[in-house]
Amino acid sequence: MALSLYWYLIVAAALFCIGLYGVLSRRNAIGILMGIELMLNAVNINLVAFWRYLTPSVLTGQVFAIFAFTVAAAEAAVGLALVIAIYRSRDTVIVEDVDLMKW
Amino acid sequence: MTLSQILALLAPELVLVMAGLVVLGLDLVWREEKKKEWLPYVALAGLVGALAAMVALWGQEAVLFGGIFTADVFALLFKVIAVVSTGLVVLSAIEFMRGRTPYRGEFYSLLIFATLGICFIASSTDLIMIYLTIELLSITSYILTGYSREDPKSNEAAIKYFLYGAVASAAMLYGMSLLYGATGSTNLSQIAIALGQADASLQGIILPAVIFLLAGFGFKIGAVPFHQWAPDAYEGAPTPVTAFLSVGPKAAGFIVLVRVFFVALPSFQPERIILISVISAITMTLGNLVAIWQKNIKRMLAYSSIAQAGYILLGMAVTSNLGMTSMVFYLMTYLFANLGAFIIIIIFSNGGGGDSVEDYAGLSQRSPGLALAMLLFLLSLAGIPPLAGFIGKFYLFTAIMEDGLLWLMVVAVLNSVISLYYYLEVVRQMYILPPKVEEPVPAASRALSGALIMAMIGVLLLGLYPTPLIELIEAAARAFLSG
């Protein structure tokens, strides 16, 4: 029995919400980064599912997904570099402790 | 279309790619510090070359690569804004970065690649292309913000900018995937066609998709509620980067917003007007109110630029040609006034001055010329005649009046009055309070003075003789809106 499109969309939406919850609740910058990755992967599930069910003859969705995770990797590289930079200067990756500037 | 025609239409972007790579390469080859002094001028030559290519392309319209890249005059307007602002930023960065980083070559080449990102965004008419180019701009901006690696404030600014930016772009991407799912296409004009034929059940998915998209675009322009990164990133970033962030990425956010709403979602117009006018009203009110309390001048200008984004959004809350024209024109007046203010801050801090508003006390007695220039830029930002900002605001307010959005106009006028308070606070410090230090601010380098004079000419010229530029923008806006 083939699954319908909705199941994939529900999984993606759930994954997106889990990622967003991680972003909002984590105090560790690496944890937040992991939450962001979950959000991006939810998008990829969406894209590939839409491609498979709606326009299987046109590769747009697949191409979009490939671009999305490639760019996500580049973004994560820059993000981790910034986390290392802040760890060197402040000895912490807890975002609440990074508070030189407020309001 | 032949290859040479395609290359000709892509000339501005190709020049920028070359310039970025040449700067990077020369930085590697030139070993002596003395030669590296020339790197910013190489970058500048590239930007001037790109500007020349844009002028040569003026009036040509074409759609390239199966509809993902549109070369039109409307995009060229934004590309000009990007290249001019980066040019001024490069001029003002030369002296500032000299003592602060050993890696100056990469700095200028990253600036050029960020500008390249803005130029591509201006022409993108496909969701995949929009995502890629926005990320090109974002990732380079994150690195530039954290460029002073030894400065903990710069590190903090970069990590905050990055975390907000990555979440916003993930949300934007989710919105794009929903839009793709609803229409089966990523091309903006095909999305519009698909939505025109779609039945009512699909409309339910459009609103969430648009809100997710707005998270990404709103982040770029610094609109409330996606603005929280701006004050911290502006305060912590090296000042030339702050100046860059306050103009280029904002312009990019606006063009992509215009393209998505006007090309892909014309059926969404009633909701767009409500959504944009509410965001615009909240953005300017919050920006102006919080700016009043700021002690740090970069942070104050950050909130001021949030408020300015609110004014610019007014142009999208209306349906007329006038709205679009006044929006682009206001963006140009804002470019010169805001960059000018940041150039003064750079001159002041190069001379050993601090970043707090109180450090500017008695500037009129120490360096009258500098104080006068700052006065000019702040009054233009506040919208006082006969400066550029006044004409820009006048057009924007007329546009919303003509569309009958009276409440929005009242909010905007009240906001202009509020904004006077904090702009004039700086003026009060400069002109009325006695100086803490007597010596004049050390004279600025030739490059910085050049940038300052250009910004002053821009503010005065657009204020006193705006007609040719407005006619130019109007023609481009009419061509864009009609097809």
Side-chain angles (χ1 to χ4, degrees):
Chain A
M1 186 194 97
L3 284 172
S4 77
L5 172 62
Y6 295 102
W7 292 104
Y8 291 97
L9 298 189
I10 290 167
V11 170
L15 200 59
F16 187 83
C17 293
I18 294 169
L20 192 58
Y21 176 77
V23 167
L24 297 176
S25 63
R26 288 276 149 185
R27 298 168 58 234
N28 188 315
I30 307 284
I32 297 177
L33 260 176
M34 289 163 74
I36 293 168
E37 292 300 317
L38 284 187
M39 291 167 77
L40 289 169
N41 281 320
V43 173
N44 286 341
I45 294 179
N46 250 358
L47 288 172
V48 175
F50 280 134
W51 163 74
R52 177 71 184 77
Y53 282 87
L54 298 178
T55 54
S57 57
V58 190
L59 288 177
T60 321
Q62 271 198 15
V63 171
F64 203 160
I66 288 172
F67 273 123
F69 65 68
T70 315
V71 173
E75 203 171 31
V78 171
L80 288 173
L82 293 175
V83 172
I84 290 173
I86 202 131
Y87 183 74
R88 281 195 180 144
S89 68
R90 305 288 301 276
D91 258 339
T92 179
V93 290
I94 307 297
V95 282
E96 282 164 11
D97 300 340
V98 183
D99 56 357
L100 284 177
M101 293 175 285
K102 269 183 189 169
W103 274 96
Chain B
M1 198 175 283
T2 63
L3 183 65
S4 58
Q5 277 172 313
I6 293 176
L7 290 181
L9 284 165
L10 280 174
E13 285 80 8
L14 290 175
V15 172
L16 284 177
V17 173
M18 292 300 293
L21 293 178
V22 164
V23 172
L24 208 56
L26 286 179
D27 183 45
L28 207 65
V29 178
W30 285 349
R31 293 271 165 194
E32 309 94 89
E33 278 300 307
K34 241 194 150 151
K35 275 189 179 164
K36 290 197 183 193
E37 290 290 313
W38 287 99
L39 286 174
Y41 298 102
V42 176
L44 210 58
L47 290 166
V48 171
L51 192 63
M54 286 170 198
V55 174
L57 275 180
W58 210 268
Q60 293 195 47
E61 311 233 333
V63 179
L64 302 180
F65 309 127
I68 68 170
F69 186 96
T70 302
D72 55 12
V73 179
F74 198 62
L76 279 179
L77 286 172
F78 283 82
K79 292 181 192 181
V80 169
I81 292 179
V83 169
V84 170
S85 67
T86 310
L88 292 177
V89 168
V90 167
L91 279 177
S92 60
I94 298 172
E95 204 181 337
F96 189 90
M97 296 312 282
R98 192 170 287 150
R100 284 179 172 82
T101 172
Y103 311 107
R104 273 175 287 155
E106 284 96 331
F107 179 81
Y108 297 109
S109 112
L110 280 171
L111 263 181
I112 289 183
F113 284 127
T115 314
L116 177 71
I118 303 171
C119 288
F120 270 124
I121 291 172
S123 278
S124 302
T125 40
D126 187 285
L127 292 181
I128 300 180
M129 183 76 173
I130 290 176
Y131 171 65
L132 279 178
T133 50
I134 284 191
E135 286 299 308
L136 173 59
L137 172 60
S138 299
I139 292 177
T140 44
S141 311
Y142 303 147
I143 303 173
L144 284 170
T145 307
Y147 214 81
S148 304
R149 260 197 342 198
E150 311 301 322
D151 177 6
K153 262 189 163 183
S154 175
N155 289 334
E156 180 177 335
I159 193 94
K160 283 181 174 168
Y161 189 20
F162 169 76
L163 290 176
Y164 279 117
V167 175
S169 81
M172 174 186 76
L173 204 54
Y174 195 75
M176 286 179 173
S177 77
L178 290 181
L179 208 54
Y180 164 64
T183 60
S185 172
T186 55
N187 186 288
L188 294 187
S189 36
Q190 267 161 27
I191 288 176
I193 295 170
L195 284 178
Q197 298 161 343
D199 53 279
S201 67
L202 260 186
Q203 297 299 335
I205 204 172
I206 301 302
L207 185 64
V210 167
I211 289 174
F212 279 123
L213 284 177
L214 266 180
F217 306 154
F219 167 80
K220 274 270 154 280
I221 60 179
V224 177
F226 314 109
H227 68 286
Q228 290 97 336
W229 61 275
D232 289 344
Y234 280 38
E235 185 184 339
T239 314
V241 176
T242 312
F244 173 77
L245 289 182
S246 71
V247 180
K250 260 192 213 291
F254 282 112
I255 174 93
V256 81
L257 210 55
V258 167
R259 283 220 194 264
V260 167
F261 273 118
F262 285 80
V263 179
L265 303 164
S267 55
F268 195 66
Q269 185 171 301
E271 292 93 335
R272 181 196 89 219
I273 291 175
I274 299 171
L275 212 60
I276 296 283
S277 45
V278 169
I279 290 181
S280 155
I282 299 176
T283 302
M284 52 191 164
T285 312
L286 189 129
N288 280 326
L289 287 181
V290 183
I292 291 178
W293 309 107
Q294 299 310 318
K295 303 265 184 285
N296 181 302
I297 193 158
K298 279 164 83 180
R299 211 170 170 77
M300 187 205 87
L301 280 177
Y303 280 105
S304 134
S305 81
I306 291 172
Q308 300 282 347
Y311 298 131
I312 301 171
L313 271 178
L314 289 175
M316 276 197 64
V318 298
T319 48
S320 62
N321 188 1
L322 183 62
M324 198 64 66
T325 310
S326 52
M327 178 175 149
V328 180
F329 181 74
Y330 193 85
L331 205 53
M332 292 189 173
T333 67
Y334 165 78
L335 181 167
F336 288 114
N338 213 45
L339 280 185
F342 276 113
I343 290 169
I344 305 269
I345 296 177
I346 291 170
I347 295 177
F348 192 71
S349 66
N350 279 348
D355 276 344
S356 115
V357 176
E358 285 169 9
D359 292 333
Y360 286 74
L363 188 65
S364 66
Q365 291 165 44
R366 296 172 61 194
S367 305
L370 223 50
L372 184 69
M374 189 65 156
L375 176 72
L376 213 62
F377 297 132
L378 291 176
L379 291 185
S380 177
L381 283 173
I384 304 286
L387 299 167
F390 168 73
I391 309 282
K393 272 199 181 135
F394 179 76
Y395 268 83
L396 274 174
F397 293 179
T398 316
I400 45 174
M401 263 310 268
E402 276 188 359
D403 258 40
L405 289 166
L406 194 63
W407 69 272
L408 194 56
M409 151 118 171
V410 173
V411 173
V413 171
L414 283 179
N415 264 293
S416 298
V417 178
I418 299 174
S419 73
L420 263 180
Y421 179 85
Y422 60 85
Y423 291 131
L424 288 185
E425 166 64 20
V426 181
V427 176
R428 187 179 76 97
Q429 294 279 358
M430 291 191 308
Y431 278 90
I432 296 177
L433 296 183
K436 291 178 194 156
V437 205
E438 293 295 335
E439 316 78 81
V441 177
S445 69
R446 221 173 283 161
L448 257 174
S449 325
L452 183 62
I453 288 167
M454 271 188 258
M456 282 171 78
I457 291 175
V459 166
L460 287 171
L461 194 68
L462 293 189
L464 296 172
Y465 190 51
T467 331
L469 185 62
I470 287 180
E471 278 168 2
L472 198 73
I473 298 172
E474 200 176 7
R478 198 178 305 118
F480 172 75
L481 286 177
S482 64

